[in-house]
Amino acid sequence: MNTIAEKMIFKPAFEYIDNGIEHGVLSPFETKEIILKKGEQIAPGFKPLDCDIRFLKDVPVKMRDGITVYTDIFLPVTQEKVPTLIAWSPYGKSAGTAPRYVGLFNMLGMGNAWGSGLTKFEAPDPAYWVEHGYAVCNPDARGIAHSEGDITMIGSQEAEDCYDLIEWLAAQDWSNKKTALSGTSYLAFSQWFIAAGQPPHLTCINPVEGLQDAYRDLAYIGGIPDPNFLHRLQVNHVSATGAKREDMVAELEAYPLANCDLWEDKVADVSKITVPAYIVASYSNTLHTMGTFRSWRSIGSKEKWLRIHDTQEWPDYYNAESTEELRKFFDYYLLDKQNGWEKTPTVQYSILDFHGGNRTGLTSETFPPKESELQRYYLNGKTRTLQLNADENDFPLRYFPEAMPVRVSFQTVFDKDTTFIGYPKVKLFMEAENADDMDIFVWVQKIDKLGNVLSEFVVPNRNAALQDFTQDGASALRYKGASGRLRASHRHLDPKLSTDEIPAYSFDRVEKLSPKEIVELDIVLSPLGLIYYAGETLRVMISSKDEIGSVMPGTPGCTPNNKGIHVLHTGGKYASYLQIPLMK
């Protein structure tokens, strides 16, 4: 019996409104089997069905501890046995036509005609996959809607429940005993946990941009608490049975360090994953990028592929080209089609330019490519430039979190086209005056020949409202460059995981700063693939506030706790620098 719930903090779940509107037109509870007919439109604005679909609604599945979860299953109308794609998340299994998701996709400029309305949020579209010989299983996780039990969020309980679901699916008379996981965001990071549990009938996985460590990637990015996005996620924890829900915001406050049972249960050990994995990532997702690349580096699968696209996860996941490539992967492993998938390049990556000239589908056997070499640009405090050699003498710079300016920056102009691909970081030597801690935010910008800071929308919509939302936030929708953050008192590096290329923190201690103490901060930045054309400028900004802003519209970003004066040292034995992967 899983005992991790004993460490969790529970609150009453939010009310499940079962009116056939709030959670989609197919949400009213009823265990039944019906045939959805070809040409049928599930709701206005959605794509008509391309084939008949056998729909098993609110099917009960018993977990190992006796509680029942309910799932919807979409099947081809056939006597042939078929594989199953599973979409595990707390998002409603029938919510494809829910107003909140209809509004979201309209706001992004995607509309809703790309899908059937049967699609669970961030999951495979059953209409497409059923037409091509697959079953799609959309469960309501433990405690969600009519499923029994209490709701937990990320970790071993969800992994065990989906293990049981996988084995139940494999035993059904319509199943070919092969299953796979697919989906984006929550449906991606749940895959790391589920696959690490090694269910016998899990055949392969397709994580598309999902964090891997709830402490480091969600609750305490860089050691700085961020309850706001957690609040947004937990609104999805709705129950029709009076369930309780795990409150990660309360846990964030109760468990401030990572070395406790609760947070350790929310770290996926991807080294235990052995099934083939087709991983999809981007440089631009401030919530998911770090965890996705970390999982790619550490996953135990011998058969693994990485594709790095240049947009946002939802438009990429649902576009025709991406879907067809994913089907080739699934056809190979789940339908035993000899379609040449095994010859697919191990890595397909992108190079962005912020001018509309992105290059995608570039191939390599590694990420970063072997031609990438780490280059250090030292911070010159006198000239505010980046240079290849450190100054002989220290030159300290001060900036003021509670006054102006709240930042300090350095830049270099390239005299030829220069491309960076891989994992950047900064090493900073800093002290705090009239304070015993600092929250440091770093942003690597691209500036054009006229001095304009460049960025790139990664969703189709670029209207005035999206301009407003993304000016100082909504970083998942508008990419502004590599970034990172760190609370100085949480600077201790994990000796087992940290490397010179990619720092990793233990987050198991608090080391406050003493007066006049100069500390060494290795700040990991998000991976990048970016070209600077001749005459363009790279600017690295060190700031006391989150310059890039929140992840999504309507959700505030983290609130730094900065006071006093920040002092950045440059030169001599305190030669601070930007380390960035340069393509030779």
Side-chain angles (χ1 to χ4, degrees), residues 279-349:
I279 299 168
V280 180
S282 72
Y283 308 121
S284 60
N285 195 309
T286 40
L287 183 63
H288 297 145
T289 293
M290 300 295 273
T292 309
F293 278 89
R294 187 188 310 118
S295 297
W296 158 256
R297 296 192 301 270
S298 305
I299 196 168
S301 305
K302 293 181 180 178
E303 299 168 89
K304 64 175 186 175
W305 289 267
L306 174 67
R307 181 173 65 83
I308 307 168
H309 63 90
D310 67 336
T311 61
Q312 196 266 346
E313 60 197 48
W314 301 322
D316 178 80
Y317 185 71
Y318 293 114
N319 80 37
E321 184 178 355
S322 301
T323 304
E324 289 298 308
E325 180 161 15
L326 175 58
R327 182 160 69 92
K328 188 176 179 181
F329 170 73
F330 282 149
D331 282 354
Y332 183 78
Y333 285 107
L334 299 173
L335 295 176
D336 298 320
K337 291 187 178 180
Q338 299 307 303
N339 56 16
W341 172 265
E342 73 280 7
K343 298 177 183 177
T344 301
T346 304
V347 175
Q348 301 174 69
Y349 65 95

Side-chain angles (χ1 to χ4, degrees), residues 464-478:
L466 259 288
Q467 294 281 359
D468 296 341
F469 277 127
T470 60
Q471 189 75 35
D472 302 303
S475 56
L477 310 182
R478 184 177 181 178

Side-chain angles (χ1 to χ4, degrees), residues 189 192-193 196 211-214 264-271 295:
F189 60 75
W192 308 126
F193 293 88
L211 57 87
Q212 174 258 343
D213 181 323
E264 289 171 356
D265 187 71
K266 298 181 187 298
V267 183
D269 185 356
V270 297
S271 69
S295 297

Side-chain angles (χ1 to χ4, degrees), residues 63-81:
M63 302 288 100
R64 66 187 68 180
D65 63 352
I67 74 105
T68 296
V69 302
Y70 291 93
T71 186
D72 290 348
I73 301 171
F74 302 88
L75 293 158
V77 179
T78 178
Q79 297 301 312
E80 295 183 13
K81 296 185 183 301

